Amino acid sequence: MIGPTRSFPKAAKNLISVREGDIEQVKQLPPRFDRPSILFYGDAHGEWKPLLRACEASKPSAVVLVGDLDLDRPLREVLAPLWKAGIPVHYIPGNHDIDKPEWWSNLVEDHPSGNLHGRVVEICGMRIAGLGGVFEEPVWKIQNDGSPVARFGTREQFLADLRAKGRHDGDELPLRYRATIFSEDIDTLIAQGSADILLCHDGPPMPEHHPYGVEELAVLAEVMGVRLVVHGHLHKSFEGGLSGDQKVRCLGRAEVLILSCGPT
């Protein structure tokens, strides 16, 4: 059963975006950002300087990556300064993290404990629900309006179908489907109770900005009682709201978003 969420900080006042590596903006943050904070980072695609500079200036309590990292080296090597500084790093995979086998292994295999996909984890006093990847064929039937209908609810069902058709003979999901969302992932999140923040790679529908967003994400946000949805994928920065009074924040490419976890 979904219980009540925690007291959530007023998002409009406790969120600040840092675009294009504007470190002077980070150095001049209001006093409320002296408290514990979470630094969210938009699709990196191999660009890490804005993140590293922002972490050096703001010293966040934790870093959360929204996917599409394009890691040519292991994550712990790329972000070694954060490990050295004792800053925990969390992430969800994006749809491009499967484009090369080494990108996937440099992320998921190098730092498995940081993967938030399918988990609700308390970070900086906030319960964050993670749902990485995207809704894709043939696991889902994508209808004309862009909404997905599940063909396979679980990975095991999908694997059995691939084997039956002679398309796969292994016990693990082929790489190309490892960033695909399954219905079981959504069920797993809901079973873990309420959350304050939904972290996803794709986002819910926003008529002005993301008309083909995924309605299932809006429903999930409402069911879990979240107050804030943070996502990437679109390479553009915008904010909006859902009918359930949830705030939505889409991060642009390599955009820094800092959330102060203390009260205003």
Side-chain angles (χ1 to χ4, degrees), residues 1-8 38 116 119-130 189-199 224-228:
M1 180 177 180
I2 301 296
T5 55
R6 300 163 183 251
S7 175
F8 192 79
I38 303 172
L116 296 179
R119 302 167 61 202
V120 179
V121 177
E122 183 170 317
I123 301 172
C124 191
M126 298 285 107
R127 282 175 58 82
I128 299 181
L189 283 179
I190 293 174
Q192 293 173 67
S194 62
D196 302 298
I197 299 171
L198 174 61
L199 176 75
M224 297 192 73
V226 308
R227 298 289 303 280
L228 174 67

Side-chain angles (χ1 to χ4, degrees), residues 48-258:
W48 299 105
K49 288 182 181 179
L51 170 63
L52 293 172
R53 294 179 67 198
C55 287
E56 183 179 3
S58 67
K59 297 177 175 57
S61 304
V63 164
V64 178
L65 312 172
V66 303
D68 281 1
L69 308 183
D70 300 6
L71 287 165
D72 291 324
R73 294 180 292 148
L75 180 66
R76 289 181 293 173
E77 181 180 329
V78 171
L79 298 183
L82 303 190
W83 262 266
K84 185 176 181 180
I87 300 174
V89 176
H90 310 272
Y91 65 88
I92 52 172
N95 59 303
H96 285 293
D97 290 314
I98 59 165
D99 286 357
K100 298 180 181 180
E102 61 268 29
W103 285 3
W104 183 259
S105 62
N106 284 337
L107 177 61
V108 176
E109 295 176 16
D110 183 65
H111 186 35
S113 63
N115 191 352
L116 296 179
H117 177 71
R119 302 167 61 202
V120 179
V121 177
E122 183 170 317
I123 301 172
C124 191
M126 298 285 107
R127 282 175 58 82
I128 299 181
L131 188 66
V134 291
F135 294 81
E136 284 194 325
E137 297 268 5
V139 175
W140 302 82
K141 179 182 179 180
I142 308 301
Q143 303 185 103
N144 292 336
D145 62 357
S147 61
V149 176
R151 287 192 174 112
F152 303 94
T154 70
R155 288 167 177 80
E156 188 54 45
Q157 291 173 354
F158 184 53
L159 273 171
D161 184 73
L162 291 178
R163 295 190 196 103
K165 293 176 179 176
R167 296 177 180 175
H168 186 65
D169 58 3
D171 294 327
E172 293 186 342
L173 206 63
L175 178 63
R176 62 176 296 187
Y177 300 117
R178 292 181 191 174
T180 298
I181 295 169
F182 284 78
S183 293
E184 64 179 339
D185 302 329
I186 297 172
D187 294 340
T188 297
L189 283 179
I190 293 174
Q192 293 173 67
S194 62
D196 302 298
I197 299 171
L198 174 61
L199 176 75
C200 39
H201 187 64
D202 201 352
M206 293 279 105
E208 295 183 5
H209 303 286
H210 193 19
Y212 296 104
V214 185
E215 181 63 29
E216 279 71 9
L217 297 175
V219 173
L220 178 61
E222 184 172 2
V223 169
M224 297 192 73
V226 308
R227 298 289 303 280
L228 174 67
V229 179
V230 178
H231 72 94
H233 188 49
L234 303 179
H235 296 180
K236 59 182 180 179
S237 178
F238 64 82
E239 61 182 47
L242 300 175
S243 60
D245 199 31
Q246 299 91 359
K247 182 180 179 67
V248 177
R249 189 65 172 80
C250 178
L251 300 185
R253 182 169 175 168
E255 178 181 357
V256 170
L257 181 73
I258 301 175

